[in-house]
Amino acid sequence: MAEVNPFSLSGTQYSQHWPSLISPDYWLNQGFIFATGQPKSAWRWNPGTTFLSTQRGVLSGVVIYLAMVFGGQIIMKKVPKPIRLKRITQAHNLLLTIISGFLLLAFMEQCLPAWRDKGFFYTICGSESWTQSMEVIYYLNYLTKWLEFVDTALLVLKKKKLEFLHYYHHSLTMVLCFEELLGRVSVAWIICSINLLVHVIMYYYYFLASCGKRVWWKEIVTTLQIVQFVVDLGLCYFCLYTHITFHAVVPLPSIGADCRGTRLAAYYGCVLLSSYLLLFVQFFIKTYIKGEKGGHLGFRAMNYDDLKSKKVAEKVEKTE
């Protein structure tokens, strides 16, 4: 029976912590009921059964994605003019802005009460902090990484130059989210949350740019991406060290507690995020400090042809 008062918490699911009107958990539950006829609590992540839950499927996705990048560029060289899908680009950017914001709020609804009641360490390392409700959000976040492949397809059609950072980041982040699901890495919630916050800002910037708006805070997005990886790495290395020292045969300085998650997922996350930090710092120096012509925001082309103005053209001429 529907709640009479949408601001009341009476009669809500065990995983709902906010009033129904503003609760991502409530709306996710309604979505599951509408799509499957069952509540969200009935869903389970089953590797090998759940959609896109096999290592073969993930590897195939990466291969197909890279084939799209390089094969698409070869094909588009033979096409006289770029294919500009302005409306689709706008819709894609706006959709990812909304999805990222919704999933960020979903993480906050689940994690902030746990942080308040049991402490921050519990949320990033506790064995019971990986709940079914959290797993649903992790899985949806993982699916968005497949959706972000559309970014690349749109750029290929526009004949935009793709930097190594672009397809490296897109393909391997999808793999990272998959490994976090397999490894049940508790600290992943804060890594995902920071990433979603950055994506809300970033995709909203792309949406404004695709609508012809000139935005002054483009450099801030790249700066936030770098800060994101610094924070991520600090947490990842802390959790990995905590896990290793807890299980070490030789006594090492330790806090005396374990951190949930497999070592494979932890090693992969630490190595990958370290490489991201180096590549984004390199990009920042090349684009904003050295001021190389043709630089683009983060890992995606920043300007669209239809946004070029006389002022921008004059600036380009000076750099040549």
Side-chain angles (χ1 to χ4, degrees):
M1 182 176 179
E3 295 180 41
V4 176
N5 183 1
F7 294 98
S8 172
L9 279 171
S10 61
T12 59
Q13 299 292 320
Y14 73 94
S15 55
Q16 184 180 335
H17 301 284
W18 295 349
S20 300
L21 190 65
I22 59 172
S23 169
D25 188 81
Y26 171 81
W27 292 109
L28 279 176
N29 189 55
Q30 296 304 307
F32 269 82
I33 293 174
F34 176 79
T36 68
Q38 295 182 317
K40 177 174 64 67
S41 57
W43 182 88
R44 293 294 183 275
W45 161 261
N46 294 312
T49 303
T50 305
F51 180 60
L52 296 177
S53 66
T54 65
Q55 292 179 332
R56 177 178 295 181
V58 169
L59 179 60
S60 298
V62 172
V63 172
I64 294 172
Y65 172 75
L66 295 177
M68 176 189 69
V69 172
F70 299 109
Q73 289 178 326
I74 293 173
I75 294 173
M76 289 305 297
K77 286 181 180 180
K78 300 178 181 180
V79 178
K81 295 181 180 180
I83 301 174
R84 307 188 188 285
L85 304 173
K86 185 175 180 180
R87 296 301 181 190
I88 294 178
T89 299
Q90 292 172 350
H92 174 70
N93 292 331
L94 183 59
L95 177 63
L96 279 172
T97 301
I98 295 172
I99 290 175
S100 298
F102 180 83
L103 292 179
L104 173 61
L105 291 176
F107 273 118
M108 294 300 98
E109 182 180 15
Q110 298 304 316
C111 296
L112 291 182
W115 186 344
R116 177 195 62 204
D117 298 337
K118 300 182 180 180
F120 181 68
F121 181 80
Y122 170 83
T123 66
I124 64 173
C125 284
S127 60
E128 297 179 356
S129 62
W130 184 281
T131 64
Q132 186 271 342
S133 297
M134 290 288 289
E135 198 165 63
V136 170
I137 309 172
Y138 283 128
Y139 178 66
L140 294 175
N141 181 69
Y142 162 63
L143 292 182
T144 65
K145 303 310 170 188
W146 290 83
L147 180 59
E148 288 173 14
F149 286 172
V150 175
D151 288 357
T152 307
L154 292 171
L155 293 177
V156 168
L157 291 174
K158 293 174 184 176
K159 293 190 173 185
K160 295 291 185 179
K161 179 183 177 182
L162 294 178
E163 301 286 347
F164 169 75
L165 178 56
H166 177 100
Y167 48 83
Y168 176 79
H169 180 278
H170 268 296
S171 58
L172 295 187
T173 298
M174 182 271 287
V175 179
L176 175 62
C177 291
F178 173 74
E179 289 296 333
E180 288 174 342
L181 270 167
L182 283 183
R184 302 170 71 86
V185 182
S186 295
V187 73
W189 79 267
I190 195 166
I191 296 173
C192 293
S193 295
I194 297 174
N195 179 252
L196 289 167
L197 175 61
V198 172
H199 276 201
V200 169
I201 300 171
M202 183 180 73
Y203 279 108
Y204 183 59
Y205 168 81
Y206 292 152
F207 171 71
L208 293 177
S210 64
C211 292
K213 306 292 184 181
R214 295 181 59 82
V215 186
W216 62 268
W217 36 269
K218 56 191 178 184
E219 185 176 338
I220 294 177
V221 179
T222 308
T223 303
L224 287 175
Q225 289 172 316
I226 293 173
V227 172
Q228 165 193 346
F229 297 128
V230 172
V231 175
D232 289 350
L233 283 172
L235 289 169
C236 285
Y237 280 112
F238 168 78
C239 292
L240 178 59
Y241 177 82
T242 299
H243 175 73
I244 291 175
T245 54
F246 182 79
H247 294 279
V249 177
V250 179
L252 295 171
S254 171
I255 63 175
D258 196 3
C259 219
R260 178 165 190 162
T262 62
R263 290 195 185 185
L264 176 61
Y267 289 143
Y268 179 72
C270 288
V271 172
L272 185 64
L273 292 172
S274 296
S275 69
Y276 284 172
L277 178 60
L278 292 175
L279 289 171
F280 271 90
V281 169
Q282 181 186 47
F283 165 79
F284 187 91
I285 294 173
K286 181 178 71 173
T287 305
Y288 299 112
I289 297 180
K290 293 184 178 181
E292 265 193 23
K293 183 183 70 174
H296 56 266
L297 178 61
F299 49 86
R300 180 176 171 182
M302 184 173 62
N303 295 319
Y304 296 85
D305 287 351
D306 57 350
L307 298 180
K308 289 182 178 178
S309 63
K310 182 178 179 181
K311 182 177 179 180
V312 174
E314 291 175 351
K315 182 178 180 181
V316 171
E317 290 176 357
K318 291 179 181 179
T319 62
E320 290 180 337

